């Protein structure tokens, strides 16, 4: 919740009454707005008067936002999420110091988070609240929580009534009639979809079994059961979702794939990828929620260490070469790729991507949806790209020798190529390419950077609990004896959680292994060395392994020992 300290200071200065102070604190808690925003909205103080009073109280000079190059600075830094969440705007960088425009000088948390995100010392510049809001709106447009439509609740009794009617019909006629009143089922599905969107769910699973039907969300990478409608509604539920995604409702013996575009409000919609699968007790349906918002494509918010981030940015600046991002399904490879593309996406560059599927729409990038049935695979798309004068090419995944060979030739002939592979570590990526049949000298002459990654859940900052690691435990985890000498103070999850998290965790962060390609690594590849040898060479040159990066996150209090052990074995 935003700080309400400013309300207390204004009350002490007799600028607002006790009743006004209490009302401001109440509204800040309910709406998550800042104290200046609430004061102005309720006409307790106007923007100019508040700024003038704060100038005298805090001894700060009031500045005009328009005197600073905030638009240019925002393009350099990104930090959209921080800017909007704190209503704070970077205005200037000078002498290794970031000057931050704030209407609330007591917002120390904003100074701390911008310092952590940028590595720069931070200092407050006092600005008017309305001027600050107008500048942020100019940068990003109107923001706020998703306005979800009102949907009438559907009760268990309504669903049960349909289920009983179905069972009686099957008993009497031997068939199930799904042409009846589906309004409760429709409302049930809509309620599930809206609830999933509000909770930030990545996937929804509708699963029929012999005696139960369950609906599960994948939240922060973990599946959680959320509903259990009557089993006899299995066909009605799958049929309704098929209608929404324009699939063949009469075909229940073969898997089908489709897409739903769910309109949330006048200006907001959510895309969902739909997959059906015939199982023993009916059709299982999985919906993947696809985010089209590039707000999450901020490299400063992905969890890279400063050195890892700089290595990635330096490779993106190269005119040619290959950048590979590796890891299992669901490890965040797509977001890392799109973040790189978002940085590269300028009017001077021609960027083409081949994807399966296209998950995030980027204006200015030529995105191609792979369609193997029509003869358009990754290799075919890549060949076509190279005839269209590209500067940067992104291939969703290298799956075979042909795609690998074309991508490497493109990287050798003046193109920057980004792609993914399913391998467990950066070093194994090189041996995987070799096993595909790619010659060692071709790998050595084209590779620029390899990133292996995982996603780990973040500890909830509201309820995480302090814990202690003994020297023995630290050594067992992988710390050096020197690092382990005095043990360490860390945090662990509150397994009961709180009203802001799920079992002690809220959100996820990336865990990375960033391997810069060097002459020593090139020699090891040409000599066909094993992945173990390649990893040792990379570590001598400064690479931090996935486990080392995970241990660093534990010491920073970002995640727990249990979570790192879960995602990195």
């Amino acid at each position: 919740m935003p700080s309400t300290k400013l309300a207390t200071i204004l009350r002490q200065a007799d600028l607002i009454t006790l009743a006004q102070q209490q009302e401001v604190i109440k509204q800040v808690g309910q709406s998550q707005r800042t104290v200046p925003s609430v004061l102005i909205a309720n006409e307790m103080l106007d923007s100019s008067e508040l700024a003038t009073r704060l100038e005298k109280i805090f001894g700060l000079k009031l500045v005009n936002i328009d005197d600073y190059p905030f638009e240019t600075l925002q393009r350099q830094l990104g930090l959209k999420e921080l800017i909007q969440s704190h209503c704070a705007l970077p205005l200037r960088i000078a002498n290794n110091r970031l000057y931050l425009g704030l209407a609330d000088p007591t917002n120390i948390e904003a100074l701390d988070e911008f310092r952590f995100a940028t590595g720069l010392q931070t200092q407050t510049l006092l600005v008017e609240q309305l001027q600050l809001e107008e500048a942020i709106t100019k940068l990003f447009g109107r923001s706020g929580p998703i306005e979800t439509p009102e949907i009438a609740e559907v009760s268990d009794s309504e669903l049960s009534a349909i289920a009983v009617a179905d069972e009686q019909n099957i008993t009497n006629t031997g068939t199930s009639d799904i042409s009846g009143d589906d309004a409760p089922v429709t409302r049930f599905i809509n309620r599930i979809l809206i609830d999933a969107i509000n909770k930030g769910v990545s996937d929804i699973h509708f699963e029929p079994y012999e005696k139960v039907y369950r609906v599960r969300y994948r939240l922060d990478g973990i599946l959680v059961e959320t509903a259990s409608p009557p089993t006899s509604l299995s066909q009605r539920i799958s049929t309704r979702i098929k209608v929404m995604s324009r699939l063949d409702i009469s075909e229940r013996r073969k898997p089908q794939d489709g897409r739903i575009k769910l309109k949330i409000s006048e200006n907001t919609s959510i895309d969902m990828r739909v997959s059906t699968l015939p199982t023993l007790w009916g059709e299982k349906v999985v919906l993947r929620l696809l985010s089209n918002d590039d707000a999450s494509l901020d490299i400063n918010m992905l969890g890279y260490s400063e050195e890892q981030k700089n290595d990635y940015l330096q490779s993106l600046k190269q005119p040619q070469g290959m950048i590979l991002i590796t890891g299992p399904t669901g490890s965040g490879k797509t977001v890392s790729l799109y973040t790189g593309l978002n940085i590269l996406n300028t009017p001077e560059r021609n960027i083409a991507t081949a994807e399966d599927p296209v998950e995030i729409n980027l204006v200015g990038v030529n995105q191609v949806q792979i369609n193997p049935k029509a003869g358009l695979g990754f290799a075919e798309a890549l060949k076509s790209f190279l005839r269209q004068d590209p500067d940067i090419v992104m291939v969703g995944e290298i799956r075979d020798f042909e795609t690998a060979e074309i991508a490497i030739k493109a990287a050798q002939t003046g193109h920057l190529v980004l792609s993914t592979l399913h391998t467990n570590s950066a070093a194994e990526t090189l041996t995987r390419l070799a096993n595909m049949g790619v010659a060692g000298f071709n790998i050595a002459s084209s590779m620029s950077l390899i990133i292996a990654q995982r996603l780990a859940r973040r500890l909830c900052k509201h309820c995480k609990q302090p814990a202690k690691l003994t020297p023995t435990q630290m050594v067992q985890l992988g710390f050096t004896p020197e690092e382990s000498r005095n043990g360490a103070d860390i945090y662990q999850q509150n397994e009961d959680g709180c009203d802001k998290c799920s079992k002690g965790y809220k959100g996820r962060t990336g865990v990375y292994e960033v391997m810069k390609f060097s002459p020593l690594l090139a020699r090891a590849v040409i000599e066909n060395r094993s992945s173990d040898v390649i990893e040792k060479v990379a570590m001598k040159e400064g690479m931090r392994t996935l486990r080392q990066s995970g241990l660093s996150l534990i010491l920073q209090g970002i995640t727990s020992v249990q979570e790192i052990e879960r995602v990195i074995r």
Side-chain angles (χ1 to χ4, degrees):
M1 186 180 80
S3 169
T4 56
K5 185 178 179 181
L6 182 61
T8 303
I9 293 172
L10 294 174
R11 171 71 189 100
Q12 292 170 347
D14 290 326
L15 294 175
I16 58 175
T17 65
L18 177 60
Q20 287 176 324
Q21 178 193 358
Q22 292 171 342
E23 180 63 22
V24 167
I25 292 173
K26 176 184 175 183
Q27 290 193 31
V28 167
Q30 291 175 342
S31 66
Q32 299 296 302
R33 289 181 295 166
T34 63
V35 169
S37 177
V38 172
L39 287 168
I40 295 166
N42 288 274
E43 299 182 349
M44 297 177 189
L45 291 167
D46 67 36
S47 182
S48 177
E49 180 188 4
L50 175 61
T52 302
R53 297 284 190 175
L54 294 181
E55 185 177 25
K56 293 177 180 178
I57 292 172
F58 291 94
L60 294 170
K61 182 182 178 182
L62 183 64
V63 302
N64 186 343
I65 283 182
D66 293 331
D67 293 339
Y68 295 87
F70 64 90
E71 292 178 271
T72 302
L73 192 57
Q74 193 281 325
R75 285 194 293 270
Q76 293 172 354
L77 296 177
L79 305 179
K80 176 180 178 180
E81 186 175 325
L82 280 182
I83 291 170
Q84 291 184 322
S85 65
H86 287 291
C87 198
L89 189 61
L91 297 180
R92 179 187 176 208
I93 294 177
N95 300 322
N96 203 38
R97 187 177 294 273
L98 174 65
Y99 291 87
L100 198 62
L102 289 168
D104 180 357
T106 68
N107 192 351
I108 305 301
E109 185 180 356
L111 295 173
D112 290 341
E113 292 205 21
F114 275 88
R115 180 170 62 247
F116 179 77
T118 63
L120 301 170
Q121 293 301 310
T122 50
Q123 184 170 323
T124 299
L125 291 178
L126 182 63
V127 297
E128 273 194 42
Q129 175 69 23
L130 291 184
Q131 193 181 40
L132 179 59
E133 290 176 356
E134 287 171 4
I136 293 174
T137 300
K138 183 179 180 181
L139 288 173
F140 309 119
R142 296 286 172 191
S143 65
I146 292 176
E147 297 179 4
T148 54
E150 288 296 323
I151 297 175
E153 292 289 344
V154 55
S155 65
D156 291 340
S157 60
E158 285 183 279
L159 294 175
S160 297
I162 299 176
V164 169
D166 268 0
E167 289 169 2
Q168 290 175 346
N169 191 56
I170 292 172
T171 301
N172 296 332
T173 67
T175 61
S176 176
D177 178 15
I178 63 168
S179 63
D181 180 14
D182 268 358
V185 173
T186 300
R187 296 205 312 274
F188 170 74
I189 293 172
N190 289 346
R191 173 58 60 190
I192 289 289
L193 298 183
I194 295 300
D195 184 48
I197 291 166
N198 287 333
K199 289 181 177 177
V201 167
S202 62
D203 301 86
I204 310 170
H205 294 242
F206 296 86
E207 301 172 313
Y209 296 95
E210 181 180 11
K211 296 182 179 180
V212 296
Y213 188 102
R214 68 181 180 184
V215 181
R216 293 192 292 172
Y217 293 159
R218 187 172 292 279
L219 183 61
D220 292 336
I222 304 295
L223 281 169
V224 180
E225 186 167 343
T226 189
S228 183
T231 55
S232 58
L233 296 184
S234 169
Q235 190 174 335
R236 286 183 182 271
I237 291 172
S238 61
T239 298
R240 173 59 189 163
I241 296 174
K242 283 181 176 180
V243 169
M244 294 172 71
S245 51
R246 299 182 180 180
L247 296 178
D248 184 355
I249 63 173
S250 65
E251 178 57 76
R252 297 194 293 270
R253 297 169 298 174
K254 294 180 181 179
Q256 296 188 67
D257 295 305
R259 211 173 177 103
I260 295 174
K261 192 175 188 71
L262 185 66
K263 189 171 184 179
I264 303 301
S265 65
E266 190 65 30
N267 301 313
T268 307
S269 61
I270 301 290
D271 284 337
M272 303 182 188
R273 195 168 77 228
V274 181
S275 172
T276 71
L277 180 69
T279 67
L280 188 60
W281 303 106
E283 286 181 284
K284 173 175 177 175
V285 183
V286 177
L287 278 64
R288 167 154 289 188
L289 280 65
L290 307 175
S291 171
N292 284 318
D293 182 10
D294 64 1
S296 60
L297 305 181
D298 180 351
I299 194 169
N300 294 300
M301 305 303 294
L302 299 186
Y304 287 97
S305 70
E306 198 63 28
E307 185 179 357
Q308 291 173 334
K309 181 181 76 172
N310 289 336
D311 287 342
Y312 190 16
L313 291 174
Q314 288 300 317
S315 294
L316 290 172
K317 290 178 181 177
Q318 301 301 316
Q320 66 184 59
M322 178 177 283
I323 298 173
L324 290 179
I325 299 179
T326 75
T329 300
S331 61
K333 299 189 298 296
T334 299
V335 172
S336 285
L337 271 182
Y338 276 113
T339 298
L341 287 178
N342 202 39
I343 292 169
L344 294 167
N345 187 14
T346 63
E348 299 82 24
R349 295 187 175 104
N350 177 20
I351 305 176
T353 73
E355 307 172 57
D356 186 19
V358 175
E359 294 198 15
I360 300 176
N361 297 326
L362 291 177
V363 176
V365 176
N366 304 292
Q367 296 173 276
V368 174
Q369 170 70 54
I370 294 304
N371 186 357
K373 291 181 180 178
L376 181 61
F378 285 119
E380 289 77 17
L382 194 48
K383 288 177 184 176
S384 297
F385 291 166
L386 297 179
R387 292 193 288 269
Q388 296 216 332
D389 185 33
D391 298 297
I392 296 148
V393 171
M394 193 270 269
V395 183
E397 183 183 347
I398 293 178
R399 297 175 177 172
D400 51 44
F401 171 72
E402 184 181 11
T403 306
E405 186 178 42
I406 299 169
I408 283 176
K409 286 181 179 177
Q412 291 172 332
T413 55
H415 305 90
L416 182 62
V417 179
L418 290 80
S419 190
T420 71
L421 269 177
H422 284 89
T423 56
N424 291 323
S425 70
E428 288 179 28
T429 303
L430 297 169
T431 54
R432 172 74 184 279
L433 288 172
N435 291 337
M436 279 185 181
V438 181
F441 63 86
N442 280 333
I443 299 173
S445 62
S446 60
M447 201 60 60
S448 176
L449 188 80
I450 302 175
I451 300 174
Q453 66 179 80
R454 303 289 188 275
L455 287 178
R457 291 178 293 171
R458 287 178 172 269
L459 287 168
C460 173
K461 62 182 180 182
H462 299 284
C463 69
K464 63 183 180 182
Q465 300 173 335
K468 181 79 176 179
L469 280 179
T470 66
T472 301
Q473 289 173 323
M474 291 186 72
V475 170
Q476 290 172 343
L477 284 170
F479 290 98
T480 66
E482 292 76 18
E483 294 170 329
S484 310
R485 186 175 293 115
N486 299 316
D489 293 318
I490 61 167
Y491 286 92
Q492 64 185 15
Q493 77 277 20
N494 174 5
E495 294 185 357
D496 294 328
C498 66
D499 59 355
K500 297 181 183 297
C501 70
S502 175
K503 298 182 179 179
Y505 295 97
K506 178 67 174 177
R508 290 191 288 179
T509 186
V511 187
Y512 301 96
E513 181 177 279
V514 179
M515 178 190 285
K516 287 193 301 184
F517 216 66
S518 66
L520 282 177
L521 283 170
R523 185 183 306 163
V525 171
I526 292 172
E527 293 174 354
N528 199 27
R529 300 291 186 180
S530 68
S531 58
D532 289 342
V533 172
I534 291 171
E535 182 171 274
K536 289 176 182 176
V537 172
M539 289 174 67
K540 285 180 181 178
E541 299 199 327
M543 183 190 79
R544 296 168 66 188
T545 64
L546 283 167
R547 176 162 285 274
Q548 289 171 335
S549 296
L551 296 179
S552 175
L553 294 176
I554 292 171
L555 293 182
Q556 294 174 54
I558 294 173
T559 191
S560 66
V561 171
Q562 292 87 341
E563 182 65 5
I564 291 300
E565 288 295 306
R566 183 183 72 85
V567 299
I568 303 170
R569 297 194 176 101

